[in-house]
């Protein structure tokens, strides 16, 4: 399996190094032939190549079997024409990575916040509010002024259908329940369409239990009784926000796995950002990127029918649980280890 690794900004290099060690350990134990090619992304790429991400790297990713994307300091990037491109959105759109699958679960050994739970947020990843664009008339006249900004929120049947199907398929392999999250009481055309399509899709999965919640009330339901949820499907920005909440409720933003998958490509990516407040201090939790990478191994294993990759993925997930249960973890989840040592703790359990 050929992987491209882009460490990125802030805590990216630290959590990427730990993830790489875990991958190498899993490769040795399960006999995987892994080739990992590291490339530049983020500020370091901007300084070297004039862009935070380049077409050259995209070509390499297209030739590889998967991408591991570290976090980027995207809030710093203002002007695409100066190469300040948001790498997450770049790969999601250019590789059509339409499903962002973000599992969150509680762990023995991590201080409890709202009781035990195990759920997955399935987030549409290519449209919604993320189609932000200035409005122009047919003759190029810009219909915004210095005082008016307009963004278009696009929702399409194709994207709703494929994300709903992803959620139902996932629920079929889990506890058999899908929750649709929307704001169809106000956004009647866009979220109304999303909800209608989810309900239609449910007819093809008669064994799956369904329910739906308005996105604002959903925040209360998740905090009140997270264990009631199995698979949650929603549009792009609601999923972005909801998955940070569920990761933090499980103990830390540093625990949430995330894979961005399409029909042909997949990208592992921590669900948190570059965390500049803790960068360079060896305190960031590497587990989010480690678990995301385990998701990528499983995606590849299923696709290629290569059981060793699926086994390696499960072993990494179990190793994370074991390390965390024994307190061999970073301080955000109650441990005393640094980033590198927390990664080594996972390696020890993977190797067993
Ligand atoms: N995938 C991405 O590339 C991505 C995602 C979100 C935000 N961002 C960017 O990252 C930068 C910082 O954003 P932010 O501060 O709003 O969000 P953030 O996710 O980087 O950090 C939020 C809080 O969570 C903590 N945190 C995050 N990851 C952690 C980890 N692995 N271990 C322990 N604690 C962790 C941080 O220290 C901070 O207190 C911004 O430029 C933002 O645009 C990038
Ligand atoms: C960096 C940003 C584009 C990204 C998003 O909003 O999707 C991030 O918040 C995430 O959750 O991956």
């Amino acid at each position: 399996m050929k992987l491209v690794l882009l460490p990125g900004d802030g805590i990216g290099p630290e959590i990427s190094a730990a993830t790489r060690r875990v991958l190498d350990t899993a490769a040795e134990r399960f006999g995987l032939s892994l080739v990992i090619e590291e490339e530049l992304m983020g500020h370091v790429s901007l300084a070297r190549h004039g862009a935070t991400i380049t077409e050259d790297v995209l070509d390499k990713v297209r030739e590889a079997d998967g991408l591991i994307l570290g976090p980027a300091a995207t809030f710093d990037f203002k002007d695409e024409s100066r190469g300040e491109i948001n790498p997450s959105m770049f790969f999601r759109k250019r590789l059509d990575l339409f499903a962002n699958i973000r599992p969150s679960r509680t762990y023995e050994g991590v201080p409890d916040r709202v009781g035990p739970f195990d759920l997955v947020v399935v987030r549409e990843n290519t449209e919604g509010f993320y189609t932000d664009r200035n409005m122009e008339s047919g003759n190029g006249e810009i219909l915004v002024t210095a005082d008016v900004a307009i963004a278009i929120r696009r929702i399409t049947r194709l994207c709703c259908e494929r994300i709903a199907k992803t959620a139902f398929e996932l629920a079929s392999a889990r506890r058999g329940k899908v929750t649709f999250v929307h704001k169809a009481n106000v956004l009647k055309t866009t979220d109304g369409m999303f909800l209608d399509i989810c309900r239609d899709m449910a007819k093809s999965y008669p064994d799956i239990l369904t329910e739906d919640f308005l996105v604002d009330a959903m925040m209360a339901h998740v905090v009140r009784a997270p264990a009631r949820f199995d698979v949650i499907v929603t549009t792009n920005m609601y999923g972005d926000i909801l998955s940070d909440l569920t990761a933090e409720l499980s103990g830390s933003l540093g625990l949430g796995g995330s894979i961005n998958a399409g029909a042909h490509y997949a990208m592992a990516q921590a669900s948190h950002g570059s965390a500049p407040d803790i960068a360079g201090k060896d305190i960031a939790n590497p587990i989010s990127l480690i678990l995301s990478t385990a998701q990528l191994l499983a995606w590849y294993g299923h696709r290629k029918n290569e059981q060793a990759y699926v086994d390696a993925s499960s072993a990494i997930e179990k190793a994370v649980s074991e390390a965390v249960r024994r307190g061999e973890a970073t301080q955000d989840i109650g441990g005393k280890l640094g980033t590198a040592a927390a990664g080594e703790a996972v390696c020890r359990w993977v190797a067993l």
Side-chain angles (χ1 to χ4, degrees):
M1 179 184 196
K2 192 170 161 192
L3 290 168
V4 175
L5 170 65
L6 305 175
D9 296 318
I11 60 173
E14 298 161 76
I15 60 172
S16 296
T19 302
R20 198 171 174 154
R21 283 276 307 126
V22 172
L23 268 175
D24 289 342
T25 310
E28 202 174 314
R29 173 166 166 209
F30 291 92
L32 315 179
S33 76
L34 279 187
V35 178
I36 304 171
E37 196 179 319
E38 216 166 293
E39 298 288 341
L40 300 183
M41 179 275 282
H43 276 291
V44 55
S45 174
L46 186 63
R48 182 89 54 91
H49 300 303
T52 52
I53 192 68
T54 62
E55 292 292 327
D56 186 40
V57 172
L58 178 64
D59 289 343
K60 289 184 174 146
V61 171
R62 283 203 171 106
E63 282 161 20
D65 300 301
L67 166 63
I68 303 172
L69 182 71
T74 47
F75 202 44
D76 298 351
F77 309 153
K78 313 276 183 226
D79 187 351
E80 287 208 358
S81 68
R82 290 184 2 202
E84 297 170 357
I85 299 157
N86 183 320
S88 308
M89 290 171 65
F90 174 82
F91 286 115
R92 288 172 186 168
K93 294 208 169 148
R94 297 291 294 276
L95 300 176
D96 197 23
L97 306 175
F98 63 83
N100 188 190
I101 298 171
R102 296 188 154 182
S104 277
R105 52 160 288 208
T106 45
Y107 290 89
E108 199 184 325
V110 177
D112 192 19
R113 298 211 159 140
V114 285
F117 67 87
D118 178 352
L119 57 80
V120 184
V121 175
V122 174
R123 162 191 182 192
E124 200 293 320
N125 217 18
T126 54
E127 58 173 9
F129 282 117
Y130 286 69
T131 46
D132 182 8
R133 194 164 279 198
N134 285 341
M135 288 183 76
E136 291 175 25
S137 69
N139 61 11
E141 180 199 4
I142 297 189
L143 302 177
V144 295
T145 70
D147 301 317
V148 179
I150 300 174
I152 302 170
R153 178 170 184 258
R154 189 189 69 215
I155 299 290
T156 61
R157 176 164 298 279
L158 168 76
C159 291
C160 293
E161 280 177 354
R162 63 189 185 173
I163 202 64
K165 189 169 171 38
T166 303
F168 277 96
E169 288 294 322
L170 186 59
S172 305
R174 287 179 47 99
R175 302 195 306 277
K177 183 174 176 189
V178 181
T179 305
F180 318 140
V181 174
H182 60 90
K183 186 87 183 169
N185 57 335
V186 176
L187 304 174
K188 291 182 196 295
T189 51
T190 49
D191 278 16
M193 177 160 88
F194 169 78
L195 182 58
D196 286 348
I197 289 170
C198 288
R199 286 178 174 158
D200 276 353
M201 188 66 68
K203 292 177 193 149
S204 307
Y205 295 85
D207 297 335
I208 303 286
L209 197 65
T210 64
E211 63 181 358
D212 69 272
F213 286 118
L214 296 172
V215 64
D216 43 357
M218 181 67 182
M219 302 298 141
H221 287 293
V222 167
V223 172
R224 191 187 298 162
R228 71 180 288 167
F229 298 106
D230 179 18
V231 174
I232 300 166
V233 64
T234 191
T235 54
N236 202 342
M237 188 174 279
Y238 305 154
D240 177 42
I241 297 166
L242 184 57
S243 58
D244 267 33
L245 176 68
T246 53
E248 189 65 25
L249 288 179
S250 79
S252 168
L253 263 187
L255 281 179
S258 169
I259 189 173
N260 302 255
H264 306 292
Y265 302 98
M267 167 173 97
Q269 178 191 28
S271 56
H272 55 73
S274 59
D277 52 338
I278 57 169
K281 297 181 178 163
D282 191 38
I283 55 176
N285 191 339
I287 288 178
S288 178
L289 193 60
I290 291 171
L291 287 176
S292 306
T293 301
Q295 285 182 266
L296 182 59
L297 294 183
W299 176 85
Y300 176 80
H302 288 303
R303 197 178 155 77
K304 299 279 178 185
N305 217 2
E306 295 233 32
Q307 190 58 34
Y309 288 86
V310 179
D311 293 344
S313 171
S314 308
I316 293 172
E317 287 175 357
K318 283 198 193 101
V320 164
S321 302
E322 201 53 45
V324 163
R325 188 169 74 80
R326 290 165 187 260
E328 298 166 356
T330 46
Q331 64 190 35
D332 54 315
I333 52 172
K336 291 195 171 63
L337 300 184
T339 309
E344 289 308 318
V346 175
C347 288
R348 275 196 297 282
W349 291 105
V350 169
L352 279 181

